[in-house]
Amino acid sequence: MEGLEYLRSLSQEAKDKISAEFGGIENLYQTVFDINKTEYNLYANKPENYKSQLQLAENALNEIEERLEEIGLDGRDVTTEISNDFGEIIVSKNINALDIYLKQHGTDYLTMRDWIKKNYGI
């Protein structure tokens, strides 16, 4: 969880400001993480009125970034670090599912990844 480590690596002054504004670095992390989860689920499932719900999530994220800017941090950097953690979890989950599927067909993810790199340079 590099995003949480990033927050923990901030100066004590920055962490104190985050605590005053968001109730702690863990609360900030959870809030941004949950917004990313909501966005992902909305994109994946496309429920009725999902676009308006996506806009609400985006607005919430922008508000957090602005509040971080007001306390002297780069809001986009902070939210991106946390968003990357969520993205890594999703990618890892999909890779694991692909690996299981490939094993049922006599190969595995790492073997196929190496083959694609070797043959297609990707």
Side-chain angles (χ1 to χ4, degrees), residues 14 25 59-60:
I25 60 172
N59 291 347

Side-chain angles (χ1 to χ4, degrees), residues 8-63:
R8 288 181 177 152
S9 74
L10 295 172
S11 70
Q12 188 60 47
E13 179 185 1
K15 289 188 274 190
D16 290 344
K17 288 178 179 179
I18 289 171
S19 291
E21 186 69 26
F22 298 97
I25 60 172
E26 292 83 5
N27 286 344
L28 171 62
Y29 185 90
Q30 290 172 349
T31 301
V32 173
F33 195 93
D34 287 345
I35 292 170
N36 280 277
K37 181 180 178 190
T38 297
E39 287 179 324
Y40 175 79
N41 287 332
L42 288 168
Y43 275 119
N45 300 316
K46 294 183 178 44
E48 190 173 324
N49 298 321
Y50 80 98
K51 288 184 180 180
S52 62
Q53 294 175 49
L54 276 171
Q55 188 60 53
L56 291 174
E58 185 178 326
N59 291 347
L61 198 57
N62 289 336
E63 180 185 323

